[in-house]
Amino acid sequence: MAEYTPMIQQYLKIKAEYQDAFLFFRLGDFYEMFFDDAIKASQELEITLTSREGGSEDRIPMCGVPHHSAPGYIEQLVEKGFKVAICEQTEDPKLAKGVVRREVVQLITPGTMMEGKGLVDKENNFLASISEYSDSFGIAFSDLTTGESKVTKLSLQIDELINEIYVNGVKEVVVDPTLAEEVKKKLIERCQVTLSIETETSIPSDFERSVEILENDSQLLSTFGRLVNYLQKTQKRSLEHLQPVQVYHVHQFMKIDFYSKRNLELTETIRSKGKKGSLLWLLDSTMTAMGGRRLKQWIDRPLIQQSDINNRLNMVETLLNQFFERQELRELLKEVYDLERLAGRIAFGNVNARDLVQLKKSLQQVPHIQEVVQRLQNENASSIAKRIDPCDDLTELLDQSIEDNPPLSVKDGDIIKDGYNTILDQYRDASRNGKSWIAALEKQERERTGIKTLKIGYNRVFGYYIEVTKANIHLIPEGLYERKQTLSNAERYITPELKEKEVLILEAQEKIIELEYNIFTDIRETVKRYITRVQELAKMISELDVLQCFATVSEERHYSRPIFTNGELQLIDGRHPVVEKVMNAQEYVPNNCQMDDNRSILLITGPNMSGKSTYMRQVALTSILAQIGCFVPASEARLPIFDQVFTRIGAADDLISGQSTFMVEMLEARNAIVNATSNSLILFDEIGRGTSTYDGMALAQAIIEYIHNNIGAKTLFSTHYHELTSLDQQLSQLKNVHVSAIEDQGKVVFLHKIKEGPADKSYGIHVAELSDLPKPLIARAQEILSQLEAGNKQESKPESTLSVQVGQADKQLSFFTDTKPVVVKETNELPRKDKQLLDSIKALDLLDMTPLDAMNKLYEIQKKLKA
Ligand code: ADP
């Protein structure tokens, strides 16, 4: 190390403390990176890699970014999950002896980003810490941008832990190095988080309020301690906007696990991972960013206390009925900026005057909001109105002090209003007087010399000057002005008098700017004292925003208020909220659903694409909507309060963790079976499809029996195994329903209508026809099907057809029930090639093929036949 220059030595010393981060090393107007950091950063950021002398034999790899464009680069790296340590010069280079002192002033990480595109207005950015104890996991969360903090304890099940991290959209998790490898691995694979290490867990003294809250639980205290220690070490500044921590328990809310959240597309779609097309997207008529975040939190955590749910529903109903008040509220909310994030920036010390104007404008809406709430005819309205704190004194302070349209920079003046500070006013007078004196001088000199184009100007280098064009110079009386600067077509002059005034004006201006900055920082400090009140206010406003959003959506989409029961579920004309929205409302076919103690399991059959999974999802989404306090897409809805929702829908392969569809399917099924209670809702869509027919059907039946006999959860089970429909003979609470379809001139027409009883036919080929496969191919498929069906009746069962005993024997093979006899040539008369082909068709396991597989096979067969 000794061979390096002192600066590189300094670099290496600092870098040693931040090995897992890119070190942005401030050098003049640039942040430079060296060695491996430089090589990696040049690739990640696509910037030029250079090198420099550093004292050693080899040149040192180097790359850098100008400091003014650094935020964009930092953001890019952090977005990719990296950390960036910002190392600044912490003494004036002019005064430094030897190498300028440098220190890391902030470590920016995925979980601690305060600004940038990565921060979505309507999403939280939670950082989490995890501690493992002998009997539990402790988790703590903080969103630095909004100041929210919360903690909870979970049993030692890794899946639950992963679920909590996933639900909260965490990008970074702080752990102890000794945390089990398996947990770390899953966190990275499943939640794609950045892992950070923090061993210190004792809580620093400035978190008294949180310590009081957690004092009886040393585990939660140390989990939270890990988090705040990490925050303090990385942010190196005030964290006073962190609100007192909230303790929550997962069982206080409806539990929806990781898989189900994804399957039901609550906040993002499976395919695009985007918000569009999700329940959140459908619902989001919030007017503020805070409301948007609160909405997402509510969707993530539906309630289970009937009184809490009804409080929300009451307010939604009131807002729905009082249209004018709701519209007024929406207009007012539109003017409210992101108070939570403003509070965060205030605490962080990086607000500018424009932020404070936003704060003022937002606060100015609050008395009006209060007044509208007061007018609501709801038993809670007046207590809510009372709890809304408009922070009048703060509004007044900001209104008196900060200009309405201040510049972005807080260092160039023009921020503070006249009349706020007497000394400032005096300087401004001097400066303004000076300026009007100069205007008067210009007039006077024009008259004196008779030069109409004479003007007085100012520039930074020469100060004030009198400018006369070359053509008029001869008009200036001898000795009147002193020449200062010659331009191509004009001369610039000064006079002693002008010089004298100039000193006064410039001095006043300098003082103004300095004083304005000081006044501004004082105000900023004063505003800090209001952070807690502003955060409380933000919370109230965000909740009001979500409630008005529910009312707005419920009205627009004709939802109705759900009524809660002790177990019965009854939907009249229910709809899938998102599918209904994306398709033409007239085309959507509403459906009823009836489930109770005698009908706790519905076995749903019907052709592919007929609407089975839409129907199942609709039931789950309706329950979730009800339990977050929103009206629901049905003309009448009577619902139990579900403690948990489990789903196994669709074949979304879990590519990230490399698990096969079947494995994921079984994991999801297991999760439901192990955790569900009689108060839970289970949706199983085509379970058992991922394996061979026998296995799949056997598993599906065993699962149904198990739920029926041991759990009693309300269950919707769709299947393509028609054999399972006979289970109703044996399981008293299982009922068959089917999605109806009719054949119209040889084509299938989906009615999307749920009817009692099992479906009678599989429409695979008809469905394939809808996909616009070539007509001759479809015709041939029909022909083959007819032959198969005929063969099936005439011959003894080929080995490959199903022979699993499910329920009654006569219910077997309902797949091809209404077959018409087809005249087939005697097989021994067929040419060998055709016979082989027919045999291969017979051997096909149709139930285990997708329509596309079937088409491919057909295509092959046809090709051979034509050859
Ligand atoms: P399945 O699960 O039976 O294969 P889906 O539930 O995926 O079928 O539905 C297939 C398509 O049918 C949906 O994408 C939707 O466009 C349409 N659909 C489903 N249910 C309805 C309905 N009730 N009314 C109108 N269209 C529907």
Side-chain angles (χ1 to χ4, degrees):
M1 184 143 159
E3 61 195 282
Y4 289 121
T5 60
M7 194 196 73
I8 295 294
Q9 289 185 30
Q10 181 192 38
Y11 170 86
L12 288 169
K13 202 159 150 235
I14 299 175
K15 174 69 195 174
E17 289 171 45
Y18 293 93
Q19 295 192 17
D20 63 346
F22 283 101
L23 184 65
F24 272 43
F25 192 75
R26 184 69 179 261
L27 250 183
D29 282 340
F30 276 77
Y31 288 111
E32 301 288 1
M33 279 159 278
F34 303 112
F35 302 101
D36 288 349
D37 266 13
I39 296 169
K40 218 158 115 193
S42 68
Q43 289 162 352
E44 295 290 347
L45 298 172
E46 295 178 20
I47 53 179
T48 318
L49 182 67
T50 58
S51 63
R52 69 176 281 153
E53 297 281 345
S56 64
E57 253 173 49
D58 298 328
R59 290 177 69 84
I60 296 170
M62 172 174 98
C63 71
V65 298
H67 83 99
H68 59 83
S69 54
Y73 290 111
I74 294 170
E75 205 180 302
Q76 272 188 52
L77 290 172
V78 177
E79 276 287 287
K80 292 181 179 190
F82 298 113
K83 303 177 189 177
V84 178
I86 310 294
C87 178
E88 294 289 357
Q89 298 172 173
T90 49
E91 67 179 337
D92 188 340
K94 288 187 212 112
L95 306 176
K97 296 192 189 86
V99 186
V100 185
R101 193 170 61 228
R102 289 185 176 83
E103 278 169 45
V104 170
V105 296
Q106 189 181 4
L107 181 68
I108 304 175
T109 70
T112 61
M113 255 197 298
M114 282 300 282
E115 49 208 327
K117 284 195 259 4
L119 282 186
V120 181
D121 276 353
K122 291 189 166 185
E123 279 176 27
N124 279 107
N125 187 28
F126 282 117
L127 171 76
S129 71
I130 295 178
S131 300
E132 187 177 352
Y133 303 104
S134 58
D135 57 346
S136 66
F137 282 120
I139 316 188
F141 301 91
S142 271
D143 181 342
L144 211 52
T145 64
T146 65
E148 284 158 278
S149 299
K150 52 186 184 178
V151 290
T152 194
K153 234 193 270 186
L154 301 173
S155 67
L156 276 176
Q157 285 186 27
I158 298 181
D159 278 349
E160 279 207 12
L161 180 80
I162 299 292
N163 197 31
E164 236 11 60
I165 294 293
Y166 173 80
V167 164
N168 284 288
V170 172
K171 297 200 195 102
E172 181 180 2
V173 180
V174 188
V175 300
D176 192 86
T178 60
L179 184 73
E181 283 306 316
E182 189 193 355
V183 180
K184 289 191 212 162
K185 188 164 167 267
K186 279 207 168 163
L187 282 169
I188 293 173
E189 280 175 359
R190 293 216 155 248
C191 307
Q192 284 139 53
V193 299
T194 301
L195 278 192
S196 299
I197 300 292
E198 177 59 65
T199 45
E200 182 58 59
T201 56
S202 53
I203 293 211
S205 58
D206 28 350
F207 289 90
E208 288 156 37
R209 287 187 298 168
S210 294
V211 172
E212 272 168 36
I213 294 169
L214 302 176
E215 70 186 347
N216 294 326
D217 194 323
S218 59
Q219 296 185 344
L220 286 183
L221 203 59
S222 74
T223 308
F224 187 60
R226 186 186 308 286
L227 189 74
V228 292
N229 273 293
Y230 180 77
L231 282 175
Q232 280 199 329
K233 283 183 197 163
T234 55
Q235 302 310 300
K236 300 175 187 284
R237 67 186 74 194
S238 154
L239 294 172
E240 56 193 300
H241 71 299
L242 282 192
Q243 302 171 36
V245 66
Q246 287 183 334
V247 183
Y248 72 98
H249 301 284
V250 282
H251 61 254
Q252 289 169 331
F253 302 95
M254 180 199 247
K255 232 163 101 182
I256 316 174
D257 62 29
F258 168 83
Y259 303 112
S260 306
K261 279 222 148 88
R262 203 175 53 177
N263 288 340
L264 290 171
E265 309 194 305
L266 294 187
T267 55
E268 60 180 33
T269 58
I270 297 175
R271 249 185 226 194
S272 70
K273 299 249 182 283
K275 178 175 161 188
K276 180 142 197 258
S278 67
L279 185 70
L280 175 63
W281 164 77
L282 166 94
L283 280 181
D284 196 355
S285 285
T286 57
M287 304 301 287
T288 66
M290 307 169 276
R293 289 193 297 269
R294 186 76 55 213
L295 171 63
K296 182 165 183 295
Q297 291 177 359
W298 284 12
I299 294 176
D300 280 332
R301 297 225 181 279
L303 304 175
I304 48 172
Q305 278 294 331
Q306 191 166 328
S307 54
D308 294 345
I309 302 173
N310 275 326
N311 276 341
R312 286 188 190 171
L313 285 169
N314 288 344
M315 200 62 176
V316 173
E317 186 167 349
T318 309
L319 283 161
L320 200 148
N321 292 336
Q322 291 185 248
F323 175 82
F324 292 106
E325 280 77 7
R326 186 173 85 234
Q327 280 315 103
E328 225 176 299
L329 186 61
R330 283 173 66 82
E331 288 302 315
L332 290 166
L333 288 171
K334 210 194 276 175
E335 305 298 317
V336 177
Y337 292 86
D338 195 338
L339 292 172
E340 279 175 327
R341 285 202 165 143
L342 278 173
R345 299 240 292 284
I346 292 165
F348 241 60
N350 53 3
V351 275
N352 57 36
R354 287 193 189 167
D355 293 325
L356 293 185
V357 172
Q358 290 191 348
L359 178 59
K360 178 191 77 176
K361 284 191 179 155
S362 308
L363 292 176
Q364 282 171 338
Q365 310 305 317
V366 179
H368 304 294
I369 292 176
Q370 234 174 347
E371 188 264 328
V372 174
V373 173
Q374 197 66 261
R375 290 207 313 267
L376 295 177
Q377 280 147 28
N378 180 290
E379 55 177 7
N380 292 324
S382 77
S383 90
I384 295 176
K386 273 200 204 93
R387 277 190 291 136
I388 297 177
D389 168 10
C391 305
D392 288 332
D393 33 354
L394 178 58
T395 320
E396 202 178 310
L397 167 70
L398 296 175
D399 193 36
Q400 284 171 356
S401 58
I402 308 286
E403 280 290 351
D404 292 340
N405 283 309
L408 203 56
S409 159
V410 296
K411 294 207 165 136
D412 298 335
D414 292 333
I415 290 178
I416 306 297
K417 278 187 176 168
D418 281 341
Y420 178 69
N421 179 295
T422 31
I423 301 175
L424 180 63
D425 288 350
Q426 282 166 11
Y427 284 131
R428 280 186 174 156
D429 272 350
S431 157
R432 283 175 195 146
N433 285 338
K435 282 182 182 154
S436 53
W437 181 86
I438 281 172
L441 180 73
E442 188 179 71
K443 199 165 157 235
Q444 174 199 313
E445 294 303 300
R446 279 181 187 168
E447 280 163 11
R448 178 144 67 144
T449 58
I451 307 171
K452 288 213 175 58
T453 54
L454 177 148
K455 64 177 186 200
I456 297 185
Y458 174 82
N459 78 25
R460 267 176 201 257
V461 183
F462 294 107
Y464 285 97
Y465 54 79
I466 300 170
E467 187 176 296
V468 180
T469 53
K470 290 247 161 94
N472 290 317
I473 293 175
H474 65 281
L475 294 172
I476 305 172
E478 190 71 21
L480 188 62
Y481 302 152
E482 182 185 329
R483 185 151 61 219
K484 186 85 198 222
Q485 188 189 9
T486 304
L487 306 179
S488 61
N489 60 348
E491 291 286 345
R492 286 177 174 175
Y493 306 90
I494 50 162
T495 68
E497 223 182 344
L498 186 57
K499 198 79 220 158
E500 198 179 302
K501 271 290 183 228
E502 177 190 294
V503 173
L504 283 178
I505 295 173
L506 293 186
E507 200 179 70
Q509 256 166 2
E510 205 173 292
K511 290 244 168 68
I512 288 170
I513 287 178
E514 197 184 301
L515 188 56
E516 282 209 45
Y517 182 68
N518 291 339
I519 297 173
F520 177 74
T521 47
D522 278 353
I523 295 173
R524 198 152 67 176
E525 284 307 305
T526 312
V527 176
K528 271 191 188 175
R529 296 205 293 270
Y530 290 86
I531 287 176
T532 315
R533 280 168 69 187
V534 171
Q535 284 169 334
E536 274 301 310
L537 174 66
K539 185 160 176 279
M540 302 282 303
I541 299 224
S542 65
E543 294 188 3
L544 267 179
D545 194 8
V546 181
L547 293 167
Q548 74 73 22
C549 150
F550 286 171
T552 304
V553 176
S554 297
E555 183 179 68
E556 268 172 16
R557 313 217 58 86
H558 309 288
Y559 290 179
S560 64
R561 180 171 177 157
I563 293 163
F564 294 106
T565 68
N566 283 331
E568 187 196 0
L569 183 151
Q570 184 184 46
L571 297 177
I572 310 284
D573 285 344
R575 288 107 60 195
H576 183 299
V578 180
V579 175
E580 177 194 42
K581 176 170 169 147
V582 293
M583 70 194 284
N584 191 339
Q586 281 88 44
E587 287 172 18
Y588 194 89
V589 181
N591 271 306
N592 299 344
C593 182
Q594 175 74 41
M595 297 179 89
D596 48 45
D597 289 349
N598 298 319
R599 285 169 70 89
S600 63
I601 301 181
L602 295 185
L603 190 74
I604 310 169
T605 41
N608 270 333
M609 290 296 289
S610 61
K612 296 184 297 299
S613 62
T614 306
Y615 180 68
M616 295 175 38
R617 285 161 195 258
Q618 136 186 345
V619 175
L621 292 174
T622 300
S623 285
I624 290 170
L625 279 170
Q627 288 180 235
I628 62 176
C630 186
F631 284 18
V632 298
S635 60
E636 272 176 54
R638 292 164 47 74
L639 298 163
I641 291 183
F642 288 115
D643 62 351
Q644 306 173 80
V645 171
F646 298 94
T647 66
R648 162 61 215 171
I649 298 181
D653 254 65
D654 206 337
L655 294 175
I656 304 160
S657 57
Q659 280 166 323
S660 71
T661 311
F662 182 63
M663 191 58 197
V664 176
E665 182 172 11
M666 287 304 120
L667 279 172
E668 294 183 14
R670 175 201 166 269
N671 196 33
I673 286 158
V674 172
N675 295 303
T677 71
S678 59
N679 296 320
S680 307
L681 175 66
I682 300 179
L683 312 184
F684 278 161
D685 192 8
E686 309 265 2
I687 258 208
R689 200 169 201 178
T691 179
S692 76
T693 307
Y694 293 166
D695 280 5
M697 194 159 55
L699 270 167
Q701 181 175 344
I703 287 172
I704 294 174
E705 286 174 0
Y706 190 89
I707 295 174
H708 185 274
N709 299 334
N710 302 310
I711 305 177
K714 299 244 169 1
T715 304
L716 294 162
F717 198 108
S718 80
T719 184
H720 61 291
Y721 298 126
H722 279 242
E723 293 73 9
L724 294 180
T725 56
S726 59
L727 276 174
D728 63 347
Q729 305 296 311
Q730 158 190 334
L731 305 175
S732 63
Q733 290 160 33
L734 180 141
K735 296 289 175 291
N736 283 303
V737 296
H738 68 279
V739 198
S740 54
I742 50 165
E743 255 185 87
D744 184 22
Q745 298 173 1
K747 282 194 175 178
V748 68
V749 178
F750 297 133
L751 301 179
H752 302 301
K753 200 76 193 165
I754 294 282
K755 299 209 167 128
E756 294 292 306
D760 57 354
K761 195 162 179 194
S762 177
Y763 292 82
I765 294 178
H766 296 296
V767 177
E769 193 175 354
L770 295 182
S771 69
D772 256 358
L773 279 163
K775 292 231 156 27
L777 188 152
I778 299 288
R780 178 64 187 144
Q782 295 285 13
E783 200 177 304
I784 297 173
L785 177 64
S786 309
Q787 288 172 1
L788 276 171
E789 287 172 350
N792 197 25
K793 286 207 163 165
Q794 287 164 7
E795 295 175 17
S796 64
K797 254 184 280 164
E799 272 185 30
S800 60
T801 37
L802 292 163
S803 59
V804 175
Q805 292 289 324
V806 184
Q808 296 165 314
D810 63 355
K811 285 273 181 173
Q812 280 175 29
L813 289 167
S814 51
F815 196 53
F816 298 131
T817 43
D818 62 345
T819 50
K820 293 170 213 78
V822 175
V823 186
V824 207
K825 282 190 216 161
E826 285 292 301
T827 46
N828 55 11
E829 285 176 18
L830 286 172
R832 219 173 90 87
K833 184 179 79 173
D834 289 4
K835 164 125 180 36
Q836 270 177 354
L837 277 172
L838 267 186
D839 285 345
S840 78
I841 294 170
K842 275 186 201 155
L844 288 180
D845 189 351
L846 282 183
L847 291 183
D848 204 27
M849 293 176 88
T850 65
L852 196 67
D853 289 343
M855 284 308 116
N856 285 332
K857 195 77 203 166
L858 257 181
Y859 178 73
E860 237 172 64
I861 294 168
Q862 197 185 41
K863 219 164 75 185
K864 284 188 189 149
L865 280 170
K866 282 185 175 166

